[in-house]
């Protein structure tokens, strides 16, 4: 039996600007109309606003400013279908939680979302600033059972799909900085962190984490973060629709993984990357084995590596690391 709040919230979400009949909801849930009213009252205390009109029913006027677990679950169910989604008010890191749950034998696909992170992790051992309100912190766990070479381009593939989603559905001019940053007008709005448990013959477990600044207020961020980061909301005409955007991103990642798992995405990846590639034809410097190497970025290799044209005329492919625009 599904959670009654989930059923109520999903019905309100599906209705959009229309009303949902209180008696029909009551009948569906096998509770009284007063029971429905009491549940809506509890949801009001959690940040929702509803309009109630006699003989018409209820409609949703406003959703909470911070992610609400059951509403997010309902929104994901709308765009993707039912999924094992765990929403936590706070956790050290959603990637760490996903790893712990995988170790306990939790079924996959699994999505962990947290309202905030106390030890959010970024690439290269960095910290990921993870305050409450306005941001999405999500991790996805799978047991791919595929050989490691087949998994090499998974992060860039998921990144390109999220980037295209933002461009196509929201007209947000998002771009990608290899390997896994999403930027808008030079400022970072999302970062991705992929971690895997690999055995001799296959990738047993895969955790893909994404942090997205949806509507976080730059004035509340530490100075060093505010200088280089932005939010999706800053590039939208009005207030960001937190739950729709978060659910859209989650659904996009889940769909992108299915496509990846069942076929060869390399050609499509290289083509789509071109449309989002912020480094294309730029002179960049990368750290390789602790040494800087400078060249011109000339697109993505099907393996997910960055193709770099060296001044010597040779081309190299970078498979990991950190790059910056400019010379050393
Ligand atoms: C980076 O740009 O350095 C990658 C940042 C990845 C942050 C996300 S937030 C959700 C998930 N949990 C974590 O601890 N990290 C990732």
């Amino acid at each position: 039996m599904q959670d009654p709040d989930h059923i109520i919230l999903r019905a309100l979400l599906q209705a959009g600007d229309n009303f949902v009949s209180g008696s029909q909801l009551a009948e569906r849930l096998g509770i009284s109309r007063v029971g429905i009213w009491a549940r809506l009252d509890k949801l009001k205390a959690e940040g929702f606003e509803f309009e109630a009109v006699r003989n018409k029913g209820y409609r949703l006027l406003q959703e909470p400013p911070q992610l609400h677990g059951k509403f997010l679950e309902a929104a994901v169910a709308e765009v993707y279908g039912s999924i094992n989604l765990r929403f936590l008010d706070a956790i050290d890191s959603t990637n760490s939680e996903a790893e712990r749950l995988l170790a306990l034998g939790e079924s996959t696909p699994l999505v962990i979302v947290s309202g905030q992170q106390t030890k959010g992790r970024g690439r290269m051992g960095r910290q990921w600033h993870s305050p409450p309100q306005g941001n999405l912190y999500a991790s996805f766990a799978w047991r791919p059972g595929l050989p490691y070479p087949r998994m090499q381009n998974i992060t860039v593939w998921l990144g390109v799909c999220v980037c295209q989603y933002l461009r196509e559905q929201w007209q947000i001019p998002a771009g990608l900085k290899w390997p896994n940053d999403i930027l808008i007008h030079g400022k970072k709005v999302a970062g991705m962190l992929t971690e895997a448990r690999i055995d001799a013959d296959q990738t047993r477990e895969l955790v893909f984490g994404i942090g997205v600044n949806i509507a976080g207020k730059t004035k509340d961020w530490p100075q060093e973060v505010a200088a280089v980061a932005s939010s999706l909301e800053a590039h939208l005409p009005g207030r960001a629709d937190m739950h729709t955007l978060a659910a859209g991103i989650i659904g996009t990642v889940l769909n992108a993984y299915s496509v990846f798992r069942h076929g060869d995405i390399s050609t499509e990846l290289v083509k789509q990357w071109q449309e989002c590639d912020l480094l294309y034809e730029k002179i960049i410097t990368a750290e390789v084995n602790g040494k800087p190497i400078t060249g011109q970025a000339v697109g993505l290799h099907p393996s997910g590596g960055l193709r770099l044209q060296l001044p010597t005329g040779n081309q190299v492919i970078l498979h990991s690391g950190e790059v910056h625009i400019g010379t050393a």
Side-chain angles (χ1 to χ4, degrees):
M1 163 77 187
Q2 258 187 337
D3 180 275
D5 286 348
H6 178 96
I7 293 174
I8 294 173
L9 289 170
R10 192 152 174 206
L12 288 162
L13 194 62
Q14 280 168 347
D17 288 340
N18 298 318
F19 285 86
V20 175
S21 148
S23 48
Q24 275 174 16
L25 272 180
E27 201 179 318
R28 203 166 143 199
L29 291 172
I31 60 177
S32 67
R33 281 164 62 182
V34 175
I36 296 289
W37 180 84
R39 286 204 168 262
L40 288 173
D41 213 38
K42 192 178 106 303
L43 289 166
K44 262 195 220 164
E46 293 169 14
F48 291 93
E49 271 184 41
F50 305 102
E51 184 183 11
V53 174
R54 186 186 282 273
N55 293 329
K56 278 188 166 176
Y58 302 97
R59 72 173 165 182
L60 183 60
L61 290 184
Q62 199 164 304
E63 51 193 71
Q66 74 281 16
L67 286 178
H68 182 279
K70 287 178 184 170
F71 193 51
L72 179 65
E73 213 178 303
V76 172
E78 278 300 291
V79 293
Y80 181 79
S82 291
I83 178 84
N84 186 3
L85 187 148
R86 301 276 179 93
F87 183 87
L88 306 153
D89 290 328
I91 192 75
D92 52 353
S93 147
T94 53
N95 267 33
S96 304
E97 180 67 2
E99 281 156 20
R100 289 189 289 263
L101 290 171
L102 281 171
L104 289 173
E106 184 78 23
S107 66
T108 58
L110 166 69
V111 184
I112 312 284
V113 180
S114 184
Q116 61 179 301
Q117 298 184 117
T118 51
K119 283 191 190 145
R121 294 191 280 117
R123 291 179 69 234
M124 315 269 171
R126 285 189 291 248
Q127 187 201 340
W128 184 254
H129 180 61
S130 308
Q133 299 223 346
N135 300 297
L136 172 67
Y137 312 113
S139 295
F140 301 75
W142 297 281
R143 293 191 179 86
L146 294 172
Y148 172 69
R150 172 79 165 73
M151 301 302 299
Q152 264 182 315
N153 50 15
I154 181 79
T155 312
V156 283
W157 170 247
L158 298 178
V160 101
C161 292
V162 172
C163 190
Q164 296 287 26
Y165 164 76
L166 296 174
R167 291 159 74 100
E168 284 163 17
Q169 299 292 316
W170 297 89
Q171 284 73 52
I172 293 175
L176 288 159
K177 175 173 171 273
W178 186 88
N180 40 10
D181 288 351
I182 299 183
L183 277 73
I184 305 175
H185 299 319
K187 290 199 166 183
K188 183 158 166 172
V189 291
M192 293 164 265
L193 177 69
T194 304
E195 295 171 304
R197 197 165 74 77
I198 300 162
D199 286 358
D201 58 339
Q202 58 163 296
T203 307
R204 296 244 169 237
E205 295 170 351
L206 182 81
V207 173
F208 169 78
I210 182 164
V212 187
N213 295 330
I214 295 183
K217 299 281 171 276
T218 32
K219 65 174 177 45
D220 301 333
W221 300 345
Q223 215 180 354
E224 66 280 9
V225 178
V228 293
S230 182
S231 68
L232 298 182
E233 187 168 78
H235 303 276
L236 288 167
R239 292 280 307 273
D241 196 337
M242 277 292 287
H243 292 86
T244 311
L245 266 159
I249 292 168
I250 292 170
T252 298
V253 172
L254 292 168
N255 279 320
Y257 179 81
S258 295
V259 173
F260 177 91
R261 182 68 187 73
H262 296 109
D264 180 5
I265 48 78
S266 325
T267 311
E268 187 61 19
L269 167 65
V270 172
K271 193 171 124 233
Q272 291 203 28
W273 186 272
Q274 264 168 7
E275 291 167 29
C276 302
D277 188 357
L278 296 173
L279 298 181
Y280 190 64
E281 292 193 331
K282 298 247 176 355
I283 300 298
I284 62 151
T285 299
E287 286 272 325
V288 176
N289 300 330
K291 283 199 195 125
I293 160 168
T294 299
Q296 187 181 34
V298 288
L300 196 77
H301 185 267
S303 66
L306 182 70
R307 292 167 53 213
L308 198 61
Q309 183 79 38
L310 302 179
T312 57
N314 290 343
Q315 245 190 46
V316 291
I317 298 159
L318 302 177
H319 288 289
S320 63
E322 190 79 338
V323 301
H324 71 261
I325 294 176
T327 49

